Amino acid sequence: AQTVTQSQPEMSVQEAETVTLSCTYDTSESNYYLFWYKQPPSRQMILVIRQEAYKQQNATENRFSVNFQKAAKSFSLKISDSQLGDTAMYFCAFMKHDGNQFYFGTGTSLTVIP
Amino acid sequence: EADIYQTPRYLVIGTGKKITLECSQTMGHDKMYWYQQDPGMELHLIHYSYGVNSTEKGDLSSESTVSRIRTEHFPLTLESARPSHTSQYLCASSEYRTGGDTEAFFGQGTRLTVV
């Protein structure tokens, strides 16, 4: 079975600063996908960034980047130049290569302080 | 914005009533999911479907049932609502594509309160 662990229930960061959210996972699969999703208060869950396990290069999307360490089964999210709109719950998720089922972590509540 | 819709957004209903939460997607995705989420908490998979006439129970035991008669629709039904069913219900869909642009798309959720 796959498990996803987010060990930081809550975090805060000053506006314009950088913050890193942690995620570890456990799997026996060799190829899979990892995701970070954002859920703003009372808003729809949206994809922030995606990483394929067979790609060594870390994914980046504007201010968002990941540090993917396959051997350590670690997938952290770095948010640079934090903005007030980044305040949200962030969920790390895992999907096997067959595309069936997403496994979510317990989430990290991030607050950006003005 | 994702083409997946849930209705109603908010529902307050009395104990014992039968309710159906609607979920529709226009992306032609085969895979659809229902998650239960208490406010600010983790997501629990309660049902999923890999296509028409395919439904499976998820990791979290639920008294709800689902159906998948059409690709676009994946309704969730509670035959007799109870206060313990009070929660947010999130519907999602996905399509596995080679090349790496796979993702799950989520609806806006239905916040259910059973009084």
Side-chain angles (χ1 to χ4, degrees), chain A residues 63-88:
Chain A
R63 298 183 295 107
F64 299 89
S65 61
V66 298
N67 183 4
F68 174 48
Q69 302 288 328
K70 190 172 184 179
K73 295 180 181 175
S74 170
F75 183 61
S76 61
L77 173 70
K78 186 172 82 170
I79 305 174
S80 304
D81 186 26
S82 297
Q83 300 175 0
L84 296 179
D86 295 333
T87 292

mmCIF file with all atom_site columns, all heavy atoms in Angstrom, chain A residues 63-88:
data_model
loop_
_atom_site.group_PDB
_atom_site.id
_atom_site.type_symbol
_atom_site.label_atom_id
_atom_site.label_alt_id
_atom_site.label_comp_id
_atom_site.label_asym_id
_atom_site.label_entity_id
_atom_site.label_seq_id
_atom_site.pdbx_PDB_ins_code
_atom_site.Cartn_x
_atom_site.Cartn_y
_atom_site.Cartn_z
_atom_site.occupancy
_atom_site.B_iso_or_equiv
_atom_site.pdbx_formal_charge
_atom_site.auth_seq_id
_atom_site.auth_comp_id
_atom_site.auth_asym_id
_atom_site.auth_atom_id
_atom_site.pdbx_PDB_model_num
ATOM 1   N N   . ARG A 1 63 ? 6.745  30.530 -9.033  1.00 0.00 ? 63 ARG A N   1
ATOM 2   C CA  . ARG A 1 63 ? 7.318  30.656 -7.691  1.00 0.00 ? 63 ARG A CA  1
ATOM 3   C C   . ARG A 1 63 ? 7.377  29.331 -6.935  1.00 0.00 ? 63 ARG A C   1
ATOM 4   O O   . ARG A 1 63 ? 7.874  29.289 -5.800  1.00 0.00 ? 63 ARG A O   1
ATOM 5   C CB  . ARG A 1 63 ? 6.490  31.662 -6.878  1.00 0.00 ? 63 ARG A CB  1
ATOM 6   C CG  . ARG A 1 63 ? 6.475  33.069 -7.448  1.00 0.00 ? 63 ARG A CG  1
ATOM 7   C CD  . ARG A 1 63 ? 5.687  34.017 -6.549  1.00 0.00 ? 63 ARG A CD  1
ATOM 8   N NE  . ARG A 1 63 ? 4.265  33.667 -6.487  1.00 0.00 ? 63 ARG A NE  1
ATOM 9   C CZ  . ARG A 1 63 ? 3.682  33.123 -5.441  1.00 0.00 ? 63 ARG A CZ  1
ATOM 10  N NH1 . ARG A 1 63 ? 4.369  32.850 -4.357  1.00 0.00 ? 63 ARG A NH1 1
ATOM 11  N NH2 . ARG A 1 63 ? 2.382  32.862 -5.474  1.00 0.00 ? 63 ARG A NH2 1
ATOM 12  N N   . PHE A 1 64 ? 6.836  28.295 -7.535  1.00 0.00 ? 64 PHE A N   1
ATOM 13  C CA  . PHE A 1 64 ? 6.743  26.997 -6.867  1.00 0.00 ? 64 PHE A CA  1
ATOM 14  C C   . PHE A 1 64 ? 7.762  26.029 -7.467  1.00 0.00 ? 64 PHE A C   1
ATOM 15  O O   . PHE A 1 64 ? 7.869  25.918 -8.689  1.00 0.00 ? 64 PHE A O   1
ATOM 16  C CB  . PHE A 1 64 ? 5.331  26.414 -7.029  1.00 0.00 ? 64 PHE A CB  1
ATOM 17  C CG  . PHE A 1 64 ? 4.259  27.271 -6.424  1.00 0.00 ? 64 PHE A CG  1
ATOM 18  C CD1 . PHE A 1 64 ? 3.642  28.265 -7.174  1.00 0.00 ? 64 PHE A CD1 1
ATOM 19  C CD2 . PHE A 1 64 ? 3.855  27.082 -5.118  1.00 0.00 ? 64 PHE A CD2 1
ATOM 20  C CE1 . PHE A 1 64 ? 2.655  29.055 -6.615  1.00 0.00 ? 64 PHE A CE1 1
ATOM 21  C CE2 . PHE A 1 64 ? 2.861  27.863 -4.555  1.00 0.00 ? 64 PHE A CE2 1
ATOM 22  C CZ  . PHE A 1 64 ? 2.260  28.859 -5.304  1.00 0.00 ? 64 PHE A CZ  1
ATOM 23  N N   . SER A 1 65 ? 8.478  25.345 -6.609  1.00 0.00 ? 65 SER A N   1
ATOM 24  C CA  . SER A 1 65 ? 9.423  24.334 -7.076  1.00 0.00 ? 65 SER A CA  1
ATOM 25  C C   . SER A 1 65 ? 9.443  23.184 -6.071  1.00 0.00 ? 65 SER A C   1
ATOM 26  O O   . SER A 1 65 ? 9.009  23.334 -4.930  1.00 0.00 ? 65 SER A O   1
ATOM 27  C CB  . SER A 1 65 ? 10.823 24.924 -7.244  1.00 0.00 ? 65 SER A CB  1
ATOM 28  O OG  . SER A 1 65 ? 11.302 25.402 -6.003  1.00 0.00 ? 65 SER A OG  1
ATOM 29  N N   . VAL A 1 66 ? 9.921  22.042 -6.548  1.00 0.00 ? 66 VAL A N   1
ATOM 30  C CA  . VAL A 1 66 ? 9.982  20.879 -5.664  1.00 0.00 ? 66 VAL A CA  1
ATOM 31  C C   . VAL A 1 66 ? 11.419 20.422 -5.536  1.00 0.00 ? 66 VAL A C   1
ATOM 32  O O   . VAL A 1 66 ? 12.258 20.675 -6.392  1.00 0.00 ? 66 VAL A O   1
ATOM 33  C CB  . VAL A 1 66 ? 9.087  19.716 -6.169  1.00 0.00 ? 66 VAL A CB  1
ATOM 34  C CG1 . VAL A 1 66 ? 7.628  20.143 -6.210  1.00 0.00 ? 66 VAL A CG1 1
ATOM 35  C CG2 . VAL A 1 66 ? 9.569  19.216 -7.524  1.00 0.00 ? 66 VAL A CG2 1
ATOM 36  N N   . ASN A 1 67 ? 11.667 19.731 -4.437  1.00 0.00 ? 67 ASN A N   1
ATOM 37  C CA  . ASN A 1 67 ? 12.928 19.022 -4.231  1.00 0.00 ? 67 ASN A CA  1
ATOM 38  C C   . ASN A 1 67 ? 12.557 17.546 -4.117  1.00 0.00 ? 67 ASN A C   1
ATOM 39  O O   . ASN A 1 67 ? 12.067 17.092 -3.083  1.00 0.00 ? 67 ASN A O   1
ATOM 40  C CB  . ASN A 1 67 ? 13.631 19.510 -2.975  1.00 0.00 ? 67 ASN A CB  1
ATOM 41  C CG  . ASN A 1 67 ? 14.985 18.829 -2.793  1.00 0.00 ? 67 ASN A CG  1
ATOM 42  O OD1 . ASN A 1 67 ? 15.431 18.050 -3.633  1.00 0.00 ? 67 ASN A OD1 1
ATOM 43  N ND2 . ASN A 1 67 ? 15.644 19.131 -1.704  1.00 0.00 ? 67 ASN A ND2 1
ATOM 44  N N   . PHE A 1 68 ? 12.758 16.837 -5.214  1.00 0.00 ? 68 PHE A N   1
ATOM 45  C CA  . PHE A 1 68 ? 12.373 15.433 -5.302  1.00 0.00 ? 68 PHE A CA  1
ATOM 46  C C   . PHE A 1 68 ? 13.600 14.572 -5.062  1.00 0.00 ? 68 PHE A C   1
ATOM 47  O O   . PHE A 1 68 ? 14.564 14.622 -5.833  1.00 0.00 ? 68 PHE A O   1
ATOM 48  C CB  . PHE A 1 68 ? 11.766 15.146 -6.675  1.00 0.00 ? 68 PHE A CB  1
ATOM 49  C CG  . PHE A 1 68 ? 11.471 13.703 -6.942  1.00 0.00 ? 68 PHE A CG  1
ATOM 50  C CD1 . PHE A 1 68 ? 10.798 12.926 -6.010  1.00 0.00 ? 68 PHE A CD1 1
ATOM 51  C CD2 . PHE A 1 68 ? 11.854 13.118 -8.141  1.00 0.00 ? 68 PHE A CD2 1
ATOM 52  C CE1 . PHE A 1 68 ? 10.529 11.586 -6.264  1.00 0.00 ? 68 PHE A CE1 1
ATOM 53  C CE2 . PHE A 1 68 ? 11.586 11.781 -8.409  1.00 0.00 ? 68 PHE A CE2 1
ATOM 54  C CZ  . PHE A 1 68 ? 10.911 11.027 -7.466  1.00 0.00 ? 68 PHE A CZ  1
ATOM 55  N N   . GLN A 1 69 ? 13.575 13.817 -3.986  1.00 0.00 ? 69 GLN A N   1
ATOM 56  C CA  . GLN A 1 69 ? 14.660 12.907 -3.636  1.00 0.00 ? 69 GLN A CA  1
ATOM 57  C C   . GLN A 1 69 ? 14.096 11.492 -3.675  1.00 0.00 ? 69 GLN A C   1
ATOM 58  O O   . GLN A 1 69 ? 13.512 11.019 -2.687  1.00 0.00 ? 69 GLN A O   1
ATOM 59  C CB  . GLN A 1 69 ? 15.209 13.234 -2.247  1.00 0.00 ? 69 GLN A CB  1
ATOM 60  C CG  . GLN A 1 69 ? 15.720 14.645 -2.088  1.00 0.00 ? 69 GLN A CG  1
ATOM 61  C CD  . GLN A 1 69 ? 17.017 14.867 -2.838  1.00 0.00 ? 69 GLN A CD  1
ATOM 62  O OE1 . GLN A 1 69 ? 17.827 13.955 -2.985  1.00 0.00 ? 69 GLN A OE1 1
ATOM 63  N NE2 . GLN A 1 69 ? 17.206 16.087 -3.334  1.00 0.00 ? 69 GLN A NE2 1
ATOM 64  N N   . LYS A 1 70 ? 14.274 10.804 -4.826  1.00 0.00 ? 70 LYS A N   1
ATOM 65  C CA  . LYS A 1 70 ? 13.616 9.511  -5.019  1.00 0.00 ? 70 LYS A CA  1
ATOM 66  C C   . LYS A 1 70 ? 14.109 8.461  -4.031  1.00 0.00 ? 70 LYS A C   1
ATOM 67  O O   . LYS A 1 70 ? 13.321 7.693  -3.483  1.00 0.00 ? 70 LYS A O   1
ATOM 68  C CB  . LYS A 1 70 ? 13.816 9.019  -6.456  1.00 0.00 ? 70 LYS A CB  1
ATOM 69  C CG  . LYS A 1 70 ? 12.965 7.822  -6.807  1.00 0.00 ? 70 LYS A CG  1
ATOM 70  C CD  . LYS A 1 70 ? 13.039 7.484  -8.279  1.00 0.00 ? 70 LYS A CD  1
ATOM 71  C CE  . LYS A 1 70 ? 12.100 6.325  -8.623  1.00 0.00 ? 70 LYS A CE  1
ATOM 72  N NZ  . LYS A 1 70 ? 12.140 5.995  -10.069 1.00 0.00 ? 70 LYS A NZ  1
ATOM 73  N N   . ALA A 1 71 ? 15.400 8.415  -3.804  1.00 0.00 ? 71 ALA A N   1
ATOM 74  C CA  . ALA A 1 71 ? 15.944 7.396  -2.908  1.00 0.00 ? 71 ALA A CA  1
ATOM 75  C C   . ALA A 1 71 ? 15.433 7.587  -1.489  1.00 0.00 ? 71 ALA A C   1
ATOM 76  O O   . ALA A 1 71 ? 15.141 6.619  -0.782  1.00 0.00 ? 71 ALA A O   1
ATOM 77  C CB  . ALA A 1 71 ? 17.468 7.439  -2.931  1.00 0.00 ? 71 ALA A CB  1
ATOM 78  N N   . ALA A 1 72 ? 15.305 8.831  -1.088  1.00 0.00 ? 72 ALA A N   1
ATOM 79  C CA  . ALA A 1 72 ? 14.817 9.139  0.255   1.00 0.00 ? 72 ALA A CA  1
ATOM 80  C C   . ALA A 1 72 ? 13.302 9.168  0.315   1.00 0.00 ? 72 ALA A C   1
ATOM 81  O O   . ALA A 1 72 ? 12.724 9.327  1.400   1.00 0.00 ? 72 ALA A O   1
ATOM 82  C CB  . ALA A 1 72 ? 15.388 10.476 0.716   1.00 0.00 ? 72 ALA A CB  1
ATOM 83  N N   . LYS A 1 73 ? 12.629 9.055  -0.827  1.00 0.00 ? 73 LYS A N   1
ATOM 84  C CA  . LYS A 1 73 ? 11.160 9.130  -0.917  1.00 0.00 ? 73 LYS A CA  1
ATOM 85  C C   . LYS A 1 73 ? 10.665 10.411 -0.255  1.00 0.00 ? 73 LYS A C   1
ATOM 86  O O   . LYS A 1 73 ? 9.783  10.396 0.619   1.00 0.00 ? 73 LYS A O   1
ATOM 87  C CB  . LYS A 1 73 ? 10.528 7.882  -0.310  1.00 0.00 ? 73 LYS A CB  1
ATOM 88  C CG  . LYS A 1 73 ? 10.883 6.629  -1.099  1.00 0.00 ? 73 LYS A CG  1
ATOM 89  C CD  . LYS A 1 73 ? 10.260 5.371  -0.515  1.00 0.00 ? 73 LYS A CD  1
ATOM 90  C CE  . LYS A 1 73 ? 10.693 4.165  -1.344  1.00 0.00 ? 73 LYS A CE  1
ATOM 91  N NZ  . LYS A 1 73 ? 10.222 2.893  -0.770  1.00 0.00 ? 73 LYS A NZ  1
ATOM 92  N N   . SER A 1 74 ? 11.260 11.497 -0.725  1.00 0.00 ? 74 SER A N   1
ATOM 93  C CA  . SER A 1 74 ? 10.920 12.808 -0.196  1.00 0.00 ? 74 SER A CA  1
ATOM 94  C C   . SER A 1 74 ? 10.529 13.726 -1.337  1.00 0.00 ? 74 SER A C   1
ATOM 95  O O   . SER A 1 74 ? 11.133 13.698 -2.419  1.00 0.00 ? 74 SER A O   1
ATOM 96  C CB  . SER A 1 74 ? 12.134 13.377 0.557   1.00 0.00 ? 74 SER A CB  1
ATOM 97  O OG  . SER A 1 74 ? 11.939 14.714 0.901   1.00 0.00 ? 74 SER A OG  1
ATOM 98  N N   . PHE A 1 75 ? 9.538  14.579 -1.088  1.00 0.00 ? 75 PHE A N   1
ATOM 99  C CA  . PHE A 1 75 ? 8.996  15.445 -2.141  1.00 0.00 ? 75 PHE A CA  1
ATOM 100 C C   . PHE A 1 75 ? 8.544  16.745 -1.500  1.00 0.00 ? 75 PHE A C   1
ATOM 101 O O   . PHE A 1 75 ? 7.379  16.948 -1.193  1.00 0.00 ? 75 PHE A O   1
ATOM 102 C CB  . PHE A 1 75 ? 7.829  14.712 -2.821  1.00 0.00 ? 75 PHE A CB  1
ATOM 103 C CG  . PHE A 1 75 ? 7.214  15.450 -3.978  1.00 0.00 ? 75 PHE A CG  1
ATOM 104 C CD1 . PHE A 1 75 ? 7.953  15.780 -5.097  1.00 0.00 ? 75 PHE A CD1 1
ATOM 105 C CD2 . PHE A 1 75 ? 5.859  15.778 -3.955  1.00 0.00 ? 75 PHE A CD2 1
ATOM 106 C CE1 . PHE A 1 75 ? 7.377  16.444 -6.169  1.00 0.00 ? 75 PHE A CE1 1
ATOM 107 C CE2 . PHE A 1 75 ? 5.266  16.437 -5.023  1.00 0.00 ? 75 PHE A CE2 1
ATOM 108 C CZ  . PHE A 1 75 ? 6.027  16.776 -6.129  1.00 0.00 ? 75 PHE A CZ  1
ATOM 109 N N   . SER A 1 76 ? 9.450  17.674 -1.293  1.00 0.00 ? 76 SER A N   1
ATOM 110 C CA  . SER A 1 76 ? 9.108  18.921 -0.616  1.00 0.00 ? 76 SER A CA  1
ATOM 111 C C   . SER A 1 76 ? 8.762  20.010 -1.620  1.00 0.00 ? 76 SER A C   1
ATOM 112 O O   . SER A 1 76 ? 9.248  20.006 -2.758  1.00 0.00 ? 76 SER A O   1
ATOM 113 C CB  . SER A 1 76 ? 10.267 19.374 0.283   1.00 0.00 ? 76 SER A CB  1
ATOM 114 O OG  . SER A 1 76 ? 11.435 19.600 -0.492  1.00 0.00 ? 76 SER A OG  1
ATOM 115 N N   . LEU A 1 77 ? 7.937  20.938 -1.179  1.00 0.00 ? 77 LEU A N   1
ATOM 116 C CA  . LEU A 1 77 ? 7.476  22.060 -2.003  1.00 0.00 ? 77 LEU A CA  1
ATOM 117 C C   . LEU A 1 77 ? 8.076  23.343 -1.460  1.00 0.00 ? 77 LEU A C   1
ATOM 118 O O   . LEU A 1 77 ? 7.938  23.634 -0.273  1.00 0.00 ? 77 LEU A O   1
ATOM 119 C CB  . LEU A 1 77 ? 5.955  22.161 -1.980  1.00 0.00 ? 77 LEU A CB  1
ATOM 120 C CG  . LEU A 1 77 ? 5.345  23.384 -2.672  1.00 0.00 ? 77 LEU A CG  1
ATOM 121 C CD1 . LEU A 1 77 ? 5.512  23.274 -4.186  1.00 0.00 ? 77 LEU A CD1 1
ATOM 122 C CD2 . LEU A 1 77 ? 3.859  23.524 -2.308  1.00 0.00 ? 77 LEU A CD2 1
ATOM 123 N N   . LYS A 1 78 ? 8.736  24.096 -2.326  1.00 0.00 ? 78 LYS A N   1
ATOM 124 C CA  . LYS A 1 78 ? 9.270  25.396 -1.948  1.00 0.00 ? 78 LYS A CA  1
ATOM 125 C C   . LYS A 1 78 ? 8.463  26.494 -2.617  1.00 0.00 ? 78 LYS A C   1
ATOM 126 O O   . LYS A 1 78 ? 8.254  26.474 -3.837  1.00 0.00 ? 78 LYS A O   1
ATOM 127 C CB  . LYS A 1 78 ? 10.736 25.530 -2.332  1.00 0.00 ? 78 LYS A CB  1
ATOM 128 C CG  . LYS A 1 78 ? 11.377 26.823 -1.833  1.00 0.00 ? 78 LYS A CG  1
ATOM 129 C CD  . LYS A 1 78 ? 12.893 26.853 -2.052  1.00 0.00 ? 78 LYS A CD  1
ATOM 130 C CE  . LYS A 1 78 ? 13.248 27.259 -3.449  1.00 0.00 ? 78 LYS A CE  1
ATOM 131 N NZ  . LYS A 1 78 ? 14.710 27.513 -3.588  1.00 0.00 ? 78 LYS A NZ  1
ATOM 132 N N   . ILE A 1 79 ? 7.995  27.427 -1.799  1.00 0.00 ? 79 ILE A N   1
ATOM 133 C CA  . ILE A 1 79 ? 7.263  28.583 -2.310  1.00 0.00 ? 79 ILE A CA  1
ATOM 134 C C   . ILE A 1 79 ? 8.141  29.803 -2.093  1.00 0.00 ? 79 ILE A C   1
ATOM 135 O O   . ILE A 1 79 ? 8.485  30.139 -0.946  1.00 0.00 ? 79 ILE A O   1
ATOM 136 C CB  . ILE A 1 79 ? 5.912  28.763 -1.592  1.00 0.00 ? 79 ILE A CB  1
ATOM 137 C CG1 . ILE A 1 79 ? 5.085  27.481 -1.671  1.00 0.00 ? 79 ILE A CG1 1
ATOM 138 C CG2 . ILE A 1 79 ? 5.140  29.930 -2.203  1.00 0.00 ? 79 ILE A CG2 1
ATOM 139 C CD1 . ILE A 1 79 ? 3.789  27.520 -0.867  1.00 0.00 ? 79 ILE A CD1 1
ATOM 140 N N   . SER A 1 80 ? 8.529  30.434 -3.158  1.00 0.00 ? 80 SER A N   1
ATOM 141 C CA  . SER A 1 80 ? 9.364  31.625 -3.088  1.00 0.00 ? 80 SER A CA  1
ATOM 142 C C   . SER A 1 80 ? 8.502  32.873 -3.180  1.00 0.00 ? 80 SER A C   1
ATOM 143 O O   . SER A 1 80 ? 7.409  32.847 -3.757  1.00 0.00 ? 80 SER A O   1
ATOM 144 C CB  . SER A 1 80 ? 10.378 31.623 -4.236  1.00 0.00 ? 80 SER A CB  1
ATOM 145 O OG  . SER A 1 80 ? 11.160 30.454 -4.229  1.00 0.00 ? 80 SER A OG  1
ATOM 146 N N   . ASP A 1 81 ? 9.006  33.980 -2.584  1.00 0.00 ? 81 ASP A N   1
ATOM 147 C CA  . ASP A 1 81 ? 8.276  35.255 -2.658  1.00 0.00 ? 81 ASP A CA  1
ATOM 148 C C   . ASP A 1 81 ? 6.813  35.059 -2.277  1.00 0.00 ? 81 ASP A C   1
ATOM 149 O O   . ASP A 1 81 ? 5.887  35.383 -3.035  1.00 0.00 ? 81 ASP A O   1
ATOM 150 C CB  . ASP A 1 81 ? 8.406  35.830 -4.066  1.00 0.00 ? 81 ASP A CB  1
ATOM 151 C CG  . ASP A 1 81 ? 7.799  37.206 -4.203  1.00 0.00 ? 81 ASP A CG  1
ATOM 152 O OD1 . ASP A 1 81 ? 7.716  37.923 -3.191  1.00 0.00 ? 81 ASP A OD1 1
ATOM 153 O OD2 . ASP A 1 81 ? 7.372  37.560 -5.329  1.00 0.00 ? 81 ASP A OD2 1
ATOM 154 N N   . SER A 1 82 ? 6.573  34.516 -1.100  1.00 0.00 ? 82 SER A N   1
ATOM 155 C CA  . SER A 1 82 ? 5.216  34.165 -0.662  1.00 0.00 ? 82 SER A CA  1
ATOM 156 C C   . SER A 1 82 ? 4.268  35.350 -0.764  1.00 0.00 ? 82 SER A C   1
ATOM 157 O O   . SER A 1 82 ? 4.622  36.490 -0.420  1.00 0.00 ? 82 SER A O   1
ATOM 158 C CB  . SER A 1 82 ? 5.249  33.652 0.782   1.00 0.00 ? 82 SER A CB  1
ATOM 159 O OG  . SER A 1 82 ? 6.001  32.469 0.865   1.00 0.00 ? 82 SER A OG  1
ATOM 160 N N   . GLN A 1 83 ? 3.056  35.055 -1.220  1.00 0.00 ? 83 GLN A N   1
ATOM 161 C CA  . GLN A 1 83 ? 2.018  36.072 -1.365  1.00 0.00 ? 83 GLN A CA  1
ATOM 162 C C   . GLN A 1 83 ? 0.825  35.720 -0.492  1.00 0.00 ? 83 GLN A C   1
ATOM 163 O O   . GLN A 1 83 ? 0.626  34.551 -0.148  1.00 0.00 ? 83 GLN A O   1
ATOM 164 C CB  . GLN A 1 83 ? 1.614  36.176 -2.831  1.00 0.00 ? 83 GLN A CB  1
ATOM 165 C CG  . GLN A 1 83 ? 2.768  36.554 -3.754  1.00 0.00 ? 83 GLN A CG  1
ATOM 166 C CD  . GLN A 1 83 ? 2.388  36.544 -5.214  1.00 0.00 ? 83 GLN A CD  1
ATOM 167 O OE1 . GLN A 1 83 ? 1.248  36.258 -5.579  1.00 0.00 ? 83 GLN A OE1 1
ATOM 168 N NE2 . GLN A 1 83 ? 3.346  36.850 -6.074  1.00 0.00 ? 83 GLN A NE2 1
ATOM 169 N N   . LEU A 1 84 ? 0.021  36.732 -0.163  1.00 0.00 ? 84 LEU A N   1
ATOM 170 C CA  . LEU A 1 84 ? -1.138 36.500 0.702   1.00 0.00 ? 84 LEU A CA  1
ATOM 171 C C   . LEU A 1 84 ? -2.073 35.446 0.108   1.00 0.00 ? 84 LEU A C   1
ATOM 172 O O   . LEU A 1 84 ? -2.696 34.665 0.830   1.00 0.00 ? 84 LEU A O   1
ATOM 173 C CB  . LEU A 1 84 ? -1.888 37.805 0.931   1.00 0.00 ? 84 LEU A CB  1
ATOM 174 C CG  . LEU A 1 84 ? -1.112 38.899 1.676   1.00 0.00 ? 84 LEU A CG  1
ATOM 175 C CD1 . LEU A 1 84 ? -1.967 40.157 1.812   1.00 0.00 ? 84 LEU A CD1 1
ATOM 176 C CD2 . LEU A 1 84 ? -0.667 38.415 3.050   1.00 0.00 ? 84 LEU A CD2 1
ATOM 177 N N   . GLY A 1 85 ? -2.142 35.400 -1.198  1.00 0.00 ? 85 GLY A N   1
ATOM 178 C CA  . GLY A 1 85 ? -2.998 34.427 -1.872  1.00 0.00 ? 85 GLY A CA  1
ATOM 179 C C   . GLY A 1 85 ? -2.490 32.996 -1.774  1.00 0.00 ? 85 GLY A C   1
ATOM 180 O O   . GLY A 1 85 ? -3.189 32.063 -2.182  1.00 0.00 ? 85 GLY A O   1
ATOM 181 N N   . ASP A 1 86 ? -1.298 32.825 -1.241  1.00 0.00 ? 86 ASP A N   1
ATOM 182 C CA  . ASP A 1 86 ? -0.777 31.461 -1.054  1.00 0.00 ? 86 ASP A CA  1
ATOM 183 C C   . ASP A 1 86 ? -1.335 30.828 0.214   1.00 0.00 ? 86 ASP A C   1
ATOM 184 O O   . ASP A 1 86 ? -1.132 29.629 0.440   1.00 0.00 ? 86 ASP A O   1
ATOM 185 C CB  . ASP A 1 86 ? 0.760  31.484 -0.976  1.00 0.00 ? 86 ASP A CB  1
ATOM 186 C CG  . ASP A 1 86 ? 1.407  31.925 -2.274  1.00 0.00 ? 86 ASP A CG  1
ATOM 187 O OD1 . ASP A 1 86 ? 0.790  31.737 -3.349  1.00 0.00 ? 86 ASP A OD1 1
ATOM 188 O OD2 . ASP A 1 86 ? 2.533  32.461 -2.222  1.00 0.00 ? 86 ASP A OD2 1
ATOM 189 N N   . THR A 1 87 ? -2.018 31.601 1.045   1.00 0.00 ? 87 THR A N   1
ATOM 190 C CA  . THR A 1 87 ? -2.635 31.054 2.248   1.00 0.00 ? 87 THR A CA  1
ATOM 191 C C   . THR A 1 87 ? -3.650 29.989 1.855   1.00 0.00 ? 87 THR A C   1
ATOM 192 O O   . THR A 1 87 ? -4.591 30.266 1.120   1.00 0.00 ? 87 THR A O   1
ATOM 193 C CB  . THR A 1 87 ? -3.317 32.158 3.059   1.00 0.00 ? 87 THR A CB  1
ATOM 194 O OG1 . THR A 1 87 ? -2.314 33.036 3.591   1.00 0.00 ? 87 THR A OG1 1
ATOM 195 C CG2 . THR A 1 87 ? -4.141 31.577 4.196   1.00 0.00 ? 87 THR A CG2 1
ATOM 196 N N   . ALA A 1 88 ? -3.423 28.760 2.336   1.00 0.00 ? 88 ALA A N   1
ATOM 197 C CA  . ALA A 1 88 ? -4.265 27.633 1.929   1.00 0.00 ? 88 ALA A CA  1
ATOM 198 C C   . ALA A 1 88 ? -3.796 26.376 2.639   1.00 0.00 ? 88 ALA A C   1
ATOM 199 O O   . ALA A 1 88 ? -2.763 26.370 3.316   1.00 0.00 ? 88 ALA A O   1
ATOM 200 C CB  . ALA A 1 88 ? -4.182 27.412 0.418   1.00 0.00 ? 88 ALA A CB  1
#
